[in-house]
Amino acid sequence: MTALLRRRRSAMPGFGLTLGLTLTMLSLIVLMPIGALLWKGAAFGPAAMWEVIDRPRVWAALFLSFRLSAAAAAFNLLFGVLLAWVLVRYRFAGRRLVDAAVDLPFALPTAVAGIALTTLYAPNGPFGALAATIGWRIAYTHWGIFLALVFVGLPFVVRTVQPVLETMDRELEEASATLGAGRWRTIRRVIFPMLLPAALTGFALSLARAVGEYGSVIFIAGNIPLRTEIAPLLIVIQLEEFNYDAAAAIGIAMLAISFTLLLAINLVQIWSRRRIGDV
C-alpha cells in the first residue's frame, strides 16, 4: 500500500501510449523517408553524389531555389508582421474577409495557384500587360518565382505572429509611453523583443515551405535551365528519367542546406529568448 501511495503518477493519463503513438507517427512520416533518402545516397557513394551535384545546372538550380526562397521569406517576415499587426490592432470594414483570405494559400491547390498567377502575370495577362508597359516582365522570370513563393509562404508568418500580438499586454506599451519613450523606441525596445521569437519561427516556416515548393512555381517560372529552373523541378526530371541515384543526390544536397539554414535560425531564436529572459 505504501509503495502504491509513493508511486508517482503522470499528469497526462496514458502518457506511455501517447508517446509511443507520437514517436511511431514521427518515424513513419519524417524519420523513415529521410533515412531512406540518406540510405540511397550512401549506397550511391559520396564520390558519385558529388559528381552529380558538382554541375553548373545543379548549382544554378540550388542557388536559385534557396536565394529566392530566402528573399521571399524575408519579404513575408516584414509584411507578414505588418499584416498581423493591422488585423489585430485595428478594426475596419472587411477585416474578417482579409483575415480569412490569409488562409487561402493553405486551402488552394498549388497547381491551381500557379495557373492563376501565370494567367494574371503573363505578358498577355491583366497585371502582366500593365507591367509590360513600363518594361517589366514578371512571368517566366525570377520575379514570377519570387511572387509564387511569397504567395505560399505569407500565411505562415501571419498565423505565427498573430496569436502573440493578441496576447500581448498593451499596458507595457502605455507604460513605455508614460516613461517618455517615443513610438519607435517603444517598438524597438518593448514590442520587437516580444515578437522576435514568433517572427523568426514564421520566417523559418515560410523559408522551409518556399524551398520545397513545386506546383505553384513550375507554371510561372518558365523552367529554363541555368536561368529559371528550380531544384525541385530538377529532382522531378531525374525521377522521370528513372535516374533515382541522381535525384537522391540532389535531394540530399537540398536537405543539407535546409538543415543548416534552419539550425542557424533556431540558434538565433534561442539567443533571442535568452536575451529577453535576461532583460
Side-chain angles (χ1 to χ4, degrees), residues 36-67:
L37 177 64
L38 296 177
W39 179 269
K40 184 69 174 177
F44 189 39
M49 285 177 53
W50 179 250
E51 184 179 353
V52 171
I53 297 171
D54 193 23
R55 293 183 297 174
R57 184 178 180 182
V58 176
W59 282 119
L62 289 172
F63 181 66
L64 176 66
S65 292
F66 283 95
R67 175 169 56 89

Side-chain angles (χ1 to χ4, degrees), residues 159-253:
R159 293 310 184 212
T160 305
V161 173
Q162 195 171 2
V164 179
L165 286 172
E166 291 174 348
T167 58
M168 187 179 295
D169 191 357
R170 298 193 183 187
E171 292 182 358
L172 296 175
E173 303 171 37
E174 296 173 358
S176 177
T178 302
L179 294 174
R183 292 184 177 180
W184 288 111
R185 186 175 180 85
T186 300
I187 293 175
R188 182 165 49 93
R189 300 299 298 273
V190 177
I191 299 175
F192 178 74
M194 290 189 289
L195 287 182
L196 182 59
L200 288 176
T201 300
F203 174 83
L205 293 174
S206 179
L207 175 63
R209 179 70 174 86
V211 166
E213 180 58 26
Y214 175 76
S216 63
V217 175
I218 57 172
F219 294 100
I220 199 172
N223 309 320
I224 303 174
L226 302 176
R227 292 180 58 185
T228 59
E229 186 179 53
I230 59 174
L233 174 62
L234 195 57
I235 294 176
V236 173
I237 292 174
Q238 299 300 324
L239 292 174
E240 291 177 346
E241 296 176 353
F242 302 101
N243 193 353
Y244 302 120
D245 292 332
I250 301 172
I252 291 175

Side-chain angles (χ1 to χ4, degrees), residues 249-265:
I250 301 172
I252 291 175
M254 291 190 66
L255 179 64
I257 299 173
S258 299
F259 180 80
T260 303
L261 291 175
L262 293 179
L263 178 62
I265 294 171

Side-chain angles (χ1 to χ4, degrees), residues 95-118:
R95 185 181 69 88
R96 292 180 180 272
L97 182 62
V98 175
D99 189 43
V102 172
D103 295 326
L104 185 61
F106 287 147
L108 195 65
T110 55
V112 176
I115 294 173
L117 291 173
T118 305

